[in-house]
């Protein structure tokens, strides 16, 4: 873990963006299409920690981007080149555009300043979406990554951020996957090689500190 000074240097509100990945009702909400993942996100405390981080970002001037995965009712443009996509088509809850399933899930609160980016294809919140261009226009240097799942979308986001020259910061207790014990192993053996790791409380300590003139 980085020192407080190192972390404070990384988390400058003017050049930091907080990304929430697929924290939508149809994924982590009570009526989730993926109940095991939703349960992991809630029982681990990850979803509550994401809500805390978002609230602190709102209070400190850090931009928040919510990355949502959805599909058109007719399925146009959606991937069909992996088992994951075929399985998703058979789930009882569909992440369809315009439905409650693709709204950001409680207890996360979305402010008017937040940006919601919706993708219709692929596995990554960054590749093939508006997120990279938005980050550059926002002057982002550090991307704080939270959300689900540790199995697919979160690693994709981290790798894509690093490949594009951003400093990725993974909030270790604000990420969830299945099975629940897979997440810390994946973070330790994979994401730790390319990203800075910090806990929610460590990040909050930097966001809430007084700034020097």
């Amino acid at each position: 873990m980085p020192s407080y000074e190192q972390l404070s240097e990384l988390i400058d509100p003017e050049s930091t963006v907080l990304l929430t990945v697929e924290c939508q009702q149809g994924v982590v909400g009570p009526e989730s299409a993926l109940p095991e993942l939703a349960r992991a996100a809630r029982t681990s405390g990850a979803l509550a920690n994401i809500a805390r981080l978002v609230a602190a970002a709102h209070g400190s001037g850090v931009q928040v981007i919510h990355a949502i995965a959805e599909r058109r009712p007719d399925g146009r443009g959606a991937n069909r080149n992996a088992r994951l996509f075929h399985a998703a088509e058979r789930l009882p809850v569909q992440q369809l555009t315009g439905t409650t399933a693709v709204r950001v899930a409680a207890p996360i609160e979305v402010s008017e300043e937040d940006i919601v980016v919706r993708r219709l294809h692929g596995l990554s919140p960054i590749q093939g979406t508006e997120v990279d261009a938005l980050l550059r226009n926002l002057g982002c240097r550090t991307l704080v990554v939270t959300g689900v799942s540790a199995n697919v979308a979160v690693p994709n986001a981290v790798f894509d951020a690093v490949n594009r020259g951003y400093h990725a910061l993974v909030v270790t207790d604000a990420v969830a996957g299945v099975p629940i014990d897979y997440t810390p192993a994946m973070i330790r053996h994979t994401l730790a090689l390319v990203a800075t790791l910090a806990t929610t409380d460590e990040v909050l300590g930097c966001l809430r500190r007084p700034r020097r003139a």
Side-chain angles (χ1 to χ4, degrees), residues 132 136 140-142 158-168:
D132 183 36
R136 296 192 185 283
C140 178
R141 185 172 67 93
T142 299
V158 172
F159 294 144
D160 286 345
V162 173
N163 285 335
R164 285 162 174 75
Y166 302 105
H167 195 121

Side-chain angles (χ1 to χ4, degrees), residues 20-180:
T20 76
V21 178
E22 297 183 23
C23 293
Q24 55 205 73
Q25 292 189 33
V27 175
V28 296
E31 303 299 323
S32 170
L34 303 163
E36 185 182 2
L37 178 58
R39 187 161 50 250
R42 292 179 178 276
T43 59
S44 68
L47 192 60
N49 285 334
I50 295 166
R52 294 168 64 205
L53 289 162
V54 169
H58 292 160
S60 63
V62 169
Q63 179 66 54
V64 179
I65 295 179
H66 303 282
I68 301 296
E70 60 182 50
R71 67 192 299 273
R72 288 167 50 111
D74 61 11
R76 289 180 183 270
N79 287 66
R80 292 182 175 82
N81 57 338
R83 289 174 56 197
L84 177 66
F85 303 121
H86 291 291
E89 289 179 344
R90 297 192 296 270
L91 292 173
V93 177
Q94 295 290 305
Q95 314 299 318
L96 299 182
T97 300
T99 66
T100 58
V102 295
R103 293 179 186 169
V104 176
I108 300 169
E109 301 219 351
V110 181
S111 77
E112 290 183 1
E113 292 77 22
D114 292 1
I115 299 173
V116 179
V117 176
R118 303 178 181 278
R119 78 176 193 272
L120 293 173
H121 63 87
L123 299 170
S124 172
I126 297 177
Q127 170 67 32
T129 74
E130 298 177 281
V131 170
D132 183 36
L134 291 169
L135 294 176
R136 296 192 185 283
N137 290 343
L138 291 164
C140 178
R141 185 172 67 93
T142 299
L143 183 65
V144 180
V145 181
T146 67
V148 298
S149 73
N151 306 79
V152 179
V154 168
N156 265 272
V158 172
F159 294 144
D160 286 345
V162 173
N163 285 335
R164 285 162 174 75
Y166 302 105
H167 195 121
L169 192 162
V170 176
V171 189
T172 56
D173 54 357
V175 170
V178 290
I180 198 166

